[in-house]
Amino acid sequence: QVQLVESGGGLVQAGDSLALSCGASGRTFDNYGVGWFRQAPGKEREFVAALSWNGYSTRYVDSVQGRFTISRDNAQNTVYLQMNSLKPEDTAVYYCAATDIRLVVTTTGEYDYWGQGTQVTVSS
């Protein structure tokens, strides 16, 4: 089992930056692929970014490409999502997730472990 806890959400203005963190505990974290997802009110949870177990491969949804960066520190059992140039449409609850699949994974059904989520609100 892996337990995930997100932090770093908040209320910011359009154009600002925000950094999310996701701390992991339980089994050895560096064997897992990781990802960030988000869910806005009334919408389905959507893929945002993913990172392979070794940090060498990444994938982003088109809407955040060039603005968001996913990274990990396996020694610290932590995954990060740096969000720059935030837009009101980025407003959502952000979830981190981990999967036994060590490669980049973009689908929610492939993830085994989820955090509780952290709210990000971007005002215009």
Side-chain angles (χ1 to χ4, degrees), residues 51-68:
L51 183 64
S52 61
W53 69 279
N54 56 8
Y56 288 170
S57 298
T58 59
R59 187 81 52 85
Y60 298 92
V61 67
D62 288 346
S63 60
V64 308
Q65 182 75 48
R67 299 188 297 122
F68 290 13

Side-chain angles (χ1 to χ4, degrees), residues 44-122:
E44 293 186 353
R45 191 169 299 187
E46 69 166 350
F47 166 75
V48 176
L51 183 64
S52 61
W53 69 279
N54 56 8
Y56 288 170
S57 298
T58 59
R59 187 81 52 85
Y60 298 92
V61 67
D62 288 346
S63 60
V64 308
Q65 182 75 48
R67 299 188 297 122
F68 290 13
T69 302
I70 186 172
S71 62
R72 66 190 299 166
D73 184 340
N74 286 341
Q76 297 295 324
N77 284 346
T78 304
V79 181
Y80 305 96
L81 185 68
Q82 176 65 43
M83 304 184 295
N84 299 327
S85 302
L86 282 161
K87 304 175 180 180
E89 51 264 42
D90 294 318
T91 295
V93 177
Y94 282 71
Y95 299 89
C96 72
T99 173
D100 291 337
I101 302 172
R102 301 171 80 186
L103 304 176
V104 167
V105 176
T106 63
T107 53
T108 57
E110 297 289 354
Y111 281 85
D112 306 290
Y113 308 102
W114 292 84
Q116 83 290 348
T118 185
Q119 177 70 48
V120 172
T121 304
V122 184

Side-chain angles (χ1 to χ4, degrees), residues 2 4 8 12 18 20-21 23 25 40 87-88 107-108 115 120:
V2 175
L4 302 172
V12 296
L18 204 58
L20 304 183
S21 298
S25 61
K87 304 175 180 180
T107 53
T108 57
V120 172

